[in-house]
Amino acid sequence: MTRVDPSLMSPTGEVIGEHKPQEHPQPQPSNTKSLQLHSDSIDLEDRYEGGCWQVRYTLAILALVGIALMYAMRVVLSIAIVAMAGSQEHHGNVTHEASNMCPASNQLADTNTSGITKQTKIVGEFDWDESIQGVILGSFFWGYCCTNILGGRAAEYMGGKLVFGSGIVLSALLTVLTPLSARFSTELLIAVRVIIGIVQGVVFPAINSMLATW
């Protein structure tokens, strides 16, 4: 019989330092673990992949359509201003010998001139010279360069979808009002173009914010 030192005994009667055999858990079958891992992988795949058509594809297509609309509304006035303000077309010199038509008397004031210059003027609705046309077309970029940083910060706090959609919708409404503002006054047209530039300046930062999220 083995004597135990009373100093090594705990108040409950157990021997200090004595190790008891631990009960080992029953091992799970390997097929159960594999089925669990397979089901977890399927859930993650369905959650992040979204099937054969992923959400990022829809995001890319909608962003492409929005950018196309933005550029169309940006350059539409550059095309329409030709008919709005009129233009002058120069057809070059035509020699008297090669021409089958008699020149007018005022064009033959100088008998030593060997040719004439044909000039056709297209009359427009608005009396804008080249300097005014340049101010009207350049006013868009006055507002566009001011809201790129603000648009990025707004997309981070408010969400890229709201900022992107608001920029496209407001730009479309202001573009529809462009002919009315031009008939009212040239200054109002310039102001409308500046506001269009302001609201379109947030589009690209909003797209960058959404792409970083996805």
Side-chain angles (χ1 to χ4, degrees), residues 4 14 16 22 39-40 56 59 63 66 74 76 86 102-103 105 110 131 133 138 143 162 164 173 198:
V4 180
E14 297 179 355
I16 300 175
Q22 298 180 357
S39 62
D40 293 341
R56 66 186 68 184
L59 174 65
R74 178 186 301 187
V76 64
C102 296
S105 58
D110 188 2
S131 61
Q133 295 181 35
L162 178 61
F164 176 79
L173 294 177
I198 291 174

Side-chain angles (χ1 to χ4, degrees), residues 75-91:
V75 304
V76 64
L77 186 60
S78 302
I79 301 172
I81 200 171
V82 178
M84 294 171 67
S87 62
Q88 292 183 354
E89 298 180 358
H90 299 272
H91 296 282

Side-chain angles (χ1 to χ4, degrees), residues 37-116:
L37 293 175
H38 182 65
S39 62
D40 293 341
S41 63
I42 292 177
D43 293 339
L44 291 175
E45 182 179 359
D46 293 340
R47 184 182 303 173
Y48 294 106
E49 295 295 334
C52 60
W53 183 265
Q54 301 181 12
V55 180
R56 66 186 68 184
Y57 299 156
T58 304
L59 174 65
I61 292 176
L62 293 179
L64 175 63
V65 174
I67 292 173
L69 292 174
M70 184 189 71
Y71 273 102
M73 290 181 286
R74 178 186 301 187
V75 304
V76 64
L77 186 60
S78 302
I79 301 172
I81 200 171
V82 178
M84 294 171 67
S87 62
Q88 292 183 354
E89 298 180 358
H90 299 272
H91 296 282
N93 294 330
V94 180
T95 60
H96 293 170
E97 293 80 3
S99 178
N100 295 325
M101 54 185 298
C102 296
S105 58
N106 58 354
Q107 293 175 346
L108 293 179
D110 188 2
T111 56
N112 296 326
T113 304
S114 60
I116 60 174

